[in-house]
Amino acid sequence: MKTIIRTLALAATVGVAGLAPAMAAENPGDGTTIKMARASWDSGWFQAEIYKQLLEDLGYDVGEPITLDVPPFYQAVAQGDVDLWVNGWFPAQDTYKPVFEDQAEVIGMVADSGALQGYMVDKAAVEEFGITSLADFSRPEVRDAFDRNGDGKADLVSCPPGWLCERVVLEQLEDFGLADDIATTKAGYNAAMADTIAAFKDGEHVLYYAWTPNWTGYELKAGEDVMWIPVPEVEGVETVPPAEGLATCVADPCHMGFPPNDIRPVARKDLLEDNPAIASILNEVSIPLDDIFAQNAAMIDGDDDIEAQATAWIENNQDAVDGWLEDARAAAN
């Protein structure tokens, strides 16, 4: 009888021990705090919130991400003050790699070639005037068609004031000999673009700097309402490699003046080594650009509950999410 009792007790002990790894794998992040950052541009907050909630589903204590601009983030991740963000733009931010690449790495892909920058015009103007590049704005009939304030120059909604791209736009207009043909806006970008969208809906021609993902891509759809236009190729002016196969541009390849960028996570190497579940999530998750456009547009319209929007996106993509979480839990074993 004592032998039977001892045998049952041993079996029970083995059974409990056998359950322990499975329970641990269900929440591999239990007891681990992650210091997450997000970009200073609010069009990237939706993506950050989705990753945050997925990591919390794995048991990680993430907390509220700290909002940082580009240089402070890469300094902070190198120093260990933050662990990761999912708002990296590459190759645009390649120049920061010497700052962080010993301590952190680029991993996974939020949106492959999802970060484009350049100039857009309404599709009707492309067809009416045969616009093939920004150089066409030196033609009087094109310039006049885009002159909304009567100053003799085409009006361009430029990059947000204070951003590096604002300076790039001004330099390009000088380099391409268009500074006397195109005037840039000084107003805030969102307000200026709201006015531009209203003008487009009223049948006016529009010219503006754009980047993706951005709420404007939901309001003015590339290929349907507007088209990317390349910058001219001018002797002595160095240009970046073009985008290829971009059906929403009037030319292929499309010399946009800015290199196409992938949106990618950046995370500390020690975090990834100690937490293979995090590495799995960062490697596997991706978010369609159309979903980002739609959320950005909703945010501009006043729906700023990003947490609820991310939760809804996860629920609407549950099959893919379940697969990502399952792979992450398996990686933690």
Side-chain angles (χ1 to χ4, degrees):
M1 186 65 177
K2 290 180 179 179
T3 301
I4 293 174
I5 293 173
R6 283 197 300 269
T7 301
L8 291 173
L10 178 61
T13 302
V14 171
V16 171
L19 287 173
M23 292 174 65
E26 189 67 21
N27 292 291
D30 275 353
T32 301
T33 298
I34 300 172
K35 295 171 291 186
M36 187 173 179
R38 67 179 185 181
S40 57
W41 50 95
D42 59 7
S43 58
W45 293 357
F46 176 60
Q47 302 93 286
E49 181 63 26
I50 289 172
Y51 281 79
K52 172 182 178 289
Q53 291 189 23
L54 295 179
L55 293 173
E56 289 175 337
D57 281 346
L58 294 171
Y60 290 98
D61 180 7
V62 183
E64 187 67 23
I66 181 174
T67 302
L68 293 173
D69 207 346
V70 175
F73 167 74
Y74 288 117
Q75 293 169 0
V77 77
Q79 296 167 358
D81 295 328
V82 296
D83 292 318
L84 67 91
W85 78 354
V86 298
N87 298 126
W89 279 36
F90 296 95
Q93 294 168 10
D94 278 350
T95 54
Y96 295 99
K97 284 184 175 179
V99 175
F100 71 82
E101 61 187 352
D102 287 343
Q103 295 81 21
E105 65 181 81
V106 182
I107 178 173
M109 188 76 65
V110 180
D112 185 2
S113 297
L116 299 175
Q117 298 180 78
Y119 303 94
M120 304 199 87
V121 301
D122 58 286
K123 193 174 182 180
V126 170
E127 296 168 352
E128 180 179 350
F129 299 107
I131 294 174
T132 59
S133 83
L134 198 64
D136 285 303
F137 284 84
S138 64
R139 293 160 48 195
E141 67 273 22
V142 177
R143 185 174 60 239
D144 293 345
F146 288 80
D147 181 6
R148 296 180 59 203
N149 61 8
D151 66 352
K153 296 183 179 183
D155 293 304
L156 165 69
V157 177
S158 189
C159 186
W163 287 25
L164 174 62
C165 50
E166 180 189 29
R167 189 179 72 196
V168 173
V169 169
L170 292 174
E171 289 176 351
Q172 288 181 347
L173 294 181
E174 289 287 346
D175 290 343
F176 301 138
L178 295 170
D180 292 332
D181 301 302
I182 298 174
T184 59
T185 60
K186 303 300 181 184
Y189 186 80
N190 286 346
M193 281 305 302
D195 178 67
T196 296
I197 291 166
F200 171 83
K201 291 180 178 178
D202 285 341
E204 296 184 40
H205 295 307
V206 295
L207 168 66
Y208 60 97
Y209 162 89
W211 77 93
T212 61
N214 188 302
W215 66 276
T216 59
Y218 184 81
E219 297 289 341
L220 297 176
K221 291 181 170 52
E224 296 180 20
D225 302 319
V226 293
M227 299 290 291
W228 296 100
I229 59 171
V231 297
E233 296 183 62
V234 176
E235 186 176 354
V237 178
E238 186 176 348
T239 58
V240 298
E244 297 185 2
L246 187 61
T248 52
C249 182
V250 299
D252 187 15
C254 186
H255 289 270
M256 304 181 74
F258 301 83
N261 281 265
D262 299 323
I263 304 175
R264 307 190 64 185
V266 177
R268 284 189 58 84
K269 293 178 180 179
D270 54 2
L271 177 77
L272 300 175
E273 291 168 0
D274 295 341
N275 297 275
I278 296 178
S280 178
I281 286 291
L282 297 182
N283 269 317
E284 292 195 17
V285 175
S286 64
I287 304 171
L289 279 176
D290 284 346
D291 294 352
I292 300 174
F293 291 157
Q295 183 278 333
N296 286 175
M299 185 169 56
I300 291 296
D301 286 341
D303 181 1
D304 57 359
D305 192 344
I306 297 174
E307 181 178 348
Q309 292 164 348
T311 299
W313 186 90
I314 290 171
E315 292 173 352
N316 292 335
N317 295 272
Q318 200 64 61
D319 287 346
V321 168
D322 287 344
W324 297 333
L325 294 176
E326 181 179 349
D327 289 347
R329 290 181 176 113
N333 283 336

